[in-house]
Amino acid sequence: MSFNKFEGKVAIITGSSRGIGKAIALNLAAKGVNIVLNGRDQERLDLTKIEVAKLNPRVHTVCCDVSIIEESKRLIDETIEVFGKIDFLINNVGVSMRGNVADVNPEVFKTIFDSNLLGAVYPTIPAIKHLRETKGSIIFISSLAGIRGIPAMSAYCSSKMALRAFAESIRLEEAKNQIHVGLIFVGITDIEHNKEAIAADGSKLILASRKDKKVQSTEYVAQTVFKNISKRKFITVLTSIGRLNAFLQPRFPMLVEKIILKNIHKFEEHRK
Ligand SMILES: NC(=O)c1ccc[n+]([C@@H]2O[C@H](COP(=O)([O-])OP(=O)(O)OC[C@H]3O[C@@H](n4cnc5c(N)ncnc54)[C@H](OP(=O)(O)O)[C@@H]3O)[C@@H](O)[C@H]2O)c1
């Protein structure tokens, strides 16, 4: 009989009713992890719950907006009520945006920071005392756009960079309590139909399908998150271009800038 060290662990995955968060939930459920799904739409959560329950019936949904302090606290409290502990908090909620700085309504920055930075800060703070007990993991889902600022995504890039500073501080503060903190820089990934981003004027923007593009699958991203947790690594960078960027950016930032300026049309294409 093989020993599965993940059996019976408890994971909260924020923003897991679809996309990468859902793939992470399915991946962990298949390994016997008890799952707390989160999103703001109960119907969507219920549909995802059915899929997850086929792999592990111990799945609970908490419908709440993690960019609101009290709702994030409820996410943590309800997890403790239902499962009694937290082993993994996976801060996955993140919203993208499009538009050059000159054209962006400043409110867009607030909306993006509310979900991408504060939406990770608010669940993390009340979870820390529980994660100390299990010597668990806090995972932050970042983006290659969090390694270097790129055109037309300034609010998104800056929110993901802020996430890194937050993750670094917690690693140092909680090292003595053996909490693992992981930061995953995800490359362009397949998206579900109707994935939303925020346009320069603050309105909702439906992103074009990436079915015909060479992008990572959500399952692949989920596997790398699992590896990060298993090995208790700090940083995981996905895709070869991502790893090259992570290597060059701190050493040769002007070279990276030149490469981006030369290929700026490709960024235009990816905006869609
Ligand atoms: N897809 C990519 O190409 C890509 C690339 C790099 C990094 N990432 C990062 O990966 C993460 C997931 O991206 P994704 O593409 O899978 O996103 P997605 O398909 O848009 O899914 C986002 C999930 O989060 C939920 N959500 C959004 N705001 C929320 C909030 N305030 N409170 C609670 N739930 C919320 C959504 O459900 P409701 O709308 O029903 O609440 C949904 O379940 C993000 O952090 C993103 O920045 C994605």
Side-chain angles (χ1 to χ4, degrees):
M1 206 172 78
S2 67
F3 171 69
N4 172 5
K5 68 174 182 171
F6 284 87
E7 184 83 44
K9 301 267 186 198
V10 175
I12 302 173
I13 305 114
T14 70
S16 45
S17 60
R18 58 180 165 173
I20 292 169
K22 176 176 157 182
I24 296 170
L26 291 168
N27 181 293
L28 293 176
K31 287 160 179 108
V33 176
N34 303 339
I35 302 293
V36 177
L37 296 171
N38 160 255
R40 295 161 301 178
D41 181 315
Q42 188 63 54
E43 263 180 49
R44 205 176 272 157
L45 281 170
D46 289 342
L47 289 173
T48 304
K49 183 178 176 179
I50 294 169
E51 284 185 58
V52 175
K54 286 180 192 156
L55 300 166
N56 182 356
R58 288 177 62 82
V59 49
H60 180 71
T61 63
V62 181
C63 183
C64 74
D65 183 338
V66 290
S67 68
I68 299 171
I69 296 176
E70 297 73 25
E71 296 203 12
S72 273
K73 188 173 176 308
R74 181 163 63 80
L75 173 63
I76 303 306
D77 290 348
E78 229 179 280
T79 302
I80 295 298
E81 271 167 39
V82 174
F83 290 126
K85 63 170 182 166
I86 303 167
D87 294 284
F88 314 126
L89 170 64
I90 299 165
N91 288 300
N92 167 70
V93 161
V95 178
S96 195
M97 52 78 68
R98 300 292 185 270
N100 289 344
V101 176
D103 308 318
V104 168
N105 178 334
E107 289 291 335
V108 170
F109 272 78
K110 188 175 171 343
T111 311
I112 294 287
F113 269 73
D114 277 351
S115 68
N116 298 10
L117 177 66
L118 298 178
V121 170
Y122 295 159
T124 297
I125 293 173
I128 284 180
K129 67 172 190 255
H130 303 292
L131 287 159
R132 283 178 181 166
E133 283 172 23
T134 56
K135 300 184 175 39
S137 295
I138 307 172
I139 303 296
F140 296 96
I141 304 297
S142 184
S143 159
L144 300 189
I147 297 174
R148 187 187 209 287
I150 54 173
M153 294 179 106
S154 55
Y156 184 70
C157 295
S158 29
S159 70
K160 293 295 192 185
M161 283 194 192
L163 211 49
R164 178 178 186 138
F166 183 59
E168 286 175 346
S169 295
I170 306 174
R171 266 183 82 84
L172 295 170
E173 290 170 7
E174 295 302 321
K176 61 182 180 299
N177 297 315
Q178 295 177 58
I179 292 182
H180 158 239
V181 178
L183 180 61
I184 323 278
F185 292 96
V186 176
I188 300 174
T189 307
D190 199 7
I191 51 173
E192 286 198 21
H193 173 62
N194 278 354
K195 177 179 157 77
E196 289 161 5
I198 300 175
D201 63 359
S203 63
K204 276 187 186 167
L205 186 77
I206 303 294
L207 296 182
S209 163
R210 294 176 183 166
K211 284 276 172 259
D212 52 346
K213 294 198 170 137
K214 211 175 158 237
V215 295
Q216 302 166 122
S217 68
T218 54
E219 290 80 11
Y220 175 72
V221 177
Q223 280 165 22
T224 61
V225 170
F226 177 70
K227 269 192 210 157
N228 178 289
I229 296 174
S230 306
K231 296 186 176 162
R232 293 175 78 88
K233 272 183 73 177
F234 179 26
I235 287 176
T236 300
V237 184
L238 277 77
T239 77
S240 36
I241 194 87
R243 284 185 283 275
L244 183 66
N245 188 12
F247 175 80
L248 290 177
Q249 170 59 21
R251 295 167 180 86
F252 310 105
M254 295 318 291
L255 173 68
V256 177
E257 183 166 296
K258 267 190 194 150
I259 296 171
I260 294 179
L261 282 172
K262 224 176 161 187
N263 291 282
I264 204 138
H265 59 283
K266 293 188 184 159
F267 287 88
E268 303 275 338
E269 282 162 25
H270 284 312
R271 272 192 222 173
K272 292 170 198 149

